[in-house]
Amino acid sequence: MLAGKHILLIIGGGIAAFKSLDLIRRLRERGAVVTPVLTRAGEEFVTPLSVSALAGNKVFRDLFDLGDEAEMGHIQLSRIADLVVVAPATADLMAKMAQGLANDLASTLLLATDTPVLMAPAMNVRMWEHSATQRNLGTLKSDGISVVGPNDGDMACGEFGPGRMSEPLEIVAEIEGRLADGPLKGKRVLVTSGPTHEPIDPVRYIANRSSGAQGTAIGRALSALGADVVFVTGPADVAPPDGVQVIKVQTAQEMLEAVNGALPVDAAVFAAAVADWRVSSASDRKLKKSNDGLPVLTFAENPDILKTVSQMKKGRPGLVVGFAAETNDVIDNATAKRERKGCDWIVANDVSTGTGIMGGSENAVTLITADGSEDWPRMGKDAVAAKLAARITEALG
Ligand code: C5P
């Protein structure tokens, strides 16, 4: 139910705008208060009168409307809601949002808001697949904007493919999910994920086989429980979770900087596979073959992010969870690691060849705490994430 929740609904100019009328009805049926904003292009598809009549509320349209400004300034309008929903989010609106343009009421509200934003894209399939739109989508996701759809199917323009706006009830379900007061509401949690890339020269680097799948699943599971997640990720194979703040880094040193910048947090989960060493002799020019023999790489130790945060005198997160990817004597090594690093829990797993865990979809972990160790059966990485998120919820009480 959405009783008493306030939705600021921005309706962009696309044929899917007709579905937004039904979306308004569905939201109001569930007790939500809807304040509609209609773009100029949106008015070509649905009338201000129908939007306003269905919303039972004034429809806002102009940035420079003195009457509206006197009644409720656009900054205030951007802050009143529990959630801002953009449906349909056209290619043009997405581009404006990604660039931070503010040349009409809708884009100004989106730039001024400090409220979470959910968008439901809708456009022609070629426009959706265009690299510009996909680039904007990536930017918007990194900015923490949640996305629902688009769906595949026949389009009003006669083509077929992804680009249809999600159905009103799908959007409602997503809104309910975002507004649900999960048990971690109000808690800020940091998650690191993915590998790091340590440069050898401008084109070569040292990496590892981490896909980022487990860290991403943990970020998603914590966010689903209502946590405010800061997700610091190296160059992973999988896309970061929706609706979280994403900070992308390459190296261990950059990861430490991003982690420091994200503190204070209530809990931190260090699932990233951070390189222990970086190449201290990294060259700013591409190394060339030469008759003088093979290049010699020298190494320097990387900062240990988990240890640094675990041993902070001031501002240490209430709960610090580390990972231990081991290939032998998993429990003994991981138990020793927990002590050495000073973290509260270690999630240990056996990544030796043949387990298929590193880069795979399943994980078999042992949770090591001050009270001892607990083997979890082999399960999907999403299930491990859900179980860990539930334990973190208990611990944060
Ligand atoms: O020492 P080891 O790399 O096995 O420890 C793994 C744990 O330590 C993981 O939680 C990983 O994210 C973290 N780690 C780190 N900084 C490093 C190396 C590992 O935070 N430089």
Side-chain angles (χ1 to χ4, degrees):
M1 285 306 268
L2 292 167
K5 298 288 183 192
H6 200 142
I7 311 287
L8 184 74
L9 175 65
I10 295 178
I11 304 176
I15 184 65
F18 80 92
K19 290 196 209 169
S20 302
L21 297 178
D22 191 35
L23 175 62
I24 296 174
R25 287 183 47 224
R26 304 294 182 179
L27 290 170
R28 292 197 64 207
E29 271 168 18
R30 287 161 177 76
V33 177
V34 179
T35 301
V37 174
L38 192 56
T39 65
R40 273 268 176 270
E43 285 181 33
E44 301 290 334
F45 295 89
V46 290
T47 70
L49 188 59
S50 4
V51 172
S52 163
L54 286 167
N57 209 339
K58 180 182 168 64
V59 54
F60 290 84
R61 295 148 66 193
D62 265 322
L63 184 55
F64 300 111
D65 184 315
L66 275 183
D68 286 355
E69 262 326 282
E71 205 177 292
M72 187 186 304
H74 61 264
I75 298 291
Q76 203 187 339
L77 187 56
S78 75
R79 307 275 163 89
I80 50 165
D82 297 296
L83 185 70
V84 177
V85 177
V86 189
T90 59
D92 179 64
L93 254 176
M94 283 177 60
K96 280 183 177 168
M97 287 163 80
Q99 292 300 315
L101 293 184
N103 57 358
D104 61 7
L105 181 62
S107 53
T108 302
L109 294 178
L110 286 161
L111 196 61
T113 192
D114 55 4
T115 307
V117 178
L118 169 72
M119 65 173 189
M123 65 197 72
N124 165 274
V125 53
R126 307 254 173 268
M127 291 169 78
W128 174 251
E129 285 171 350
H130 195 285
S131 54
T133 304
Q134 290 302 311
R135 202 163 51 237
N136 292 334
L137 178 67
T139 304
L140 293 170
K141 283 186 169 178
S142 300
D143 289 346
I145 289 177
S146 313
V147 186
V148 50
N151 292 342
D152 274 8
D154 287 320
M155 317 205 68
C157 53
E159 292 190 67
F160 182 90
R164 284 166 63 102
M165 186 168 91
S166 296
E167 295 306 316
L169 287 178
E170 291 176 88
I171 301 176
V172 167
E174 202 65 31
I175 292 173
E176 285 176 331
R178 302 282 347 144
L179 291 180
D181 290 343
L184 288 177
K185 192 176 169 65
K187 301 287 184 199
R188 185 173 157 86
V189 184
L190 166 75
V191 179
T192 71
S193 181
T196 62
H197 283 184
E198 307 294 335
I200 297 171
D201 67 16
V203 295
R204 306 181 178 95
Y205 55 82
I206 292 179
N208 59 64
R209 294 187 196 281
S210 166
S211 62
Q214 186 62 80
T216 301
I218 292 168
R220 196 178 293 123
L222 290 164
S223 170
L225 293 177
D228 185 4
V229 175
V230 186
F231 189 76
V232 178
T233 177
D237 296 339
V238 297
D242 279 351
V244 307
Q245 186 194 345
V246 180
I247 305 174
K248 291 188 176 165
V249 298
Q250 297 279 325
T251 66
Q253 286 175 303
E254 288 169 10
M255 189 172 274
L256 176 62
E257 228 170 87
V259 163
N260 278 330
L263 298 177
V265 294
D266 296 289
V269 181
F270 292 93
V274 185
D276 291 323
W277 309 283
R278 67 179 175 278
V279 180
S280 56
S281 58
S283 160
D284 51 12
R285 290 183 171 200
K286 187 180 169 198
L287 299 179
K288 297 272 184 216
K289 281 186 196 165
S290 83
N291 295 331
D292 304 338
L294 298 172
V296 176
L297 300 182
T298 54
F299 290 88
E301 196 161 335
N302 264 333
D304 189 319
I305 306 167
L306 172 63
K307 192 169 172 183
T308 308
V309 172
S310 296
Q311 300 188 358
M312 279 179 165
K313 295 271 180 293
K314 248 176 68 184
R316 182 191 190 275
L319 178 70
V320 180
V321 183
F323 271 68
E326 304 287 346
T327 51
N328 54 285
D329 303 318
V330 176
I331 296 186
D332 285 352
N333 284 338
T335 304
K337 189 168 287 178
R338 196 188 78 86
E339 301 268 319
R340 198 167 60 243
K341 303 239 188 188
C343 57
D344 302 299
W345 301 350
I346 282 270
V347 181
N349 55 5
D350 183 349
V351 293
S352 43
T353 325
T355 61
I357 283 175
M358 202 127 182
S361 62
E362 291 192 334
N363 210 347
V365 308
T366 303
L367 180 68
I368 293 164
T369 69
D371 300 331
S373 73
E374 201 181 290
D375 285 330
W376 293 358
R378 190 173 172 120
M379 54 181 121
K381 288 184 175 173
D382 284 343
V384 170
K387 202 166 153 93
L388 185 65
R391 292 297 284 266
I392 291 173
T393 307
E394 268 172 40
L396 292 183

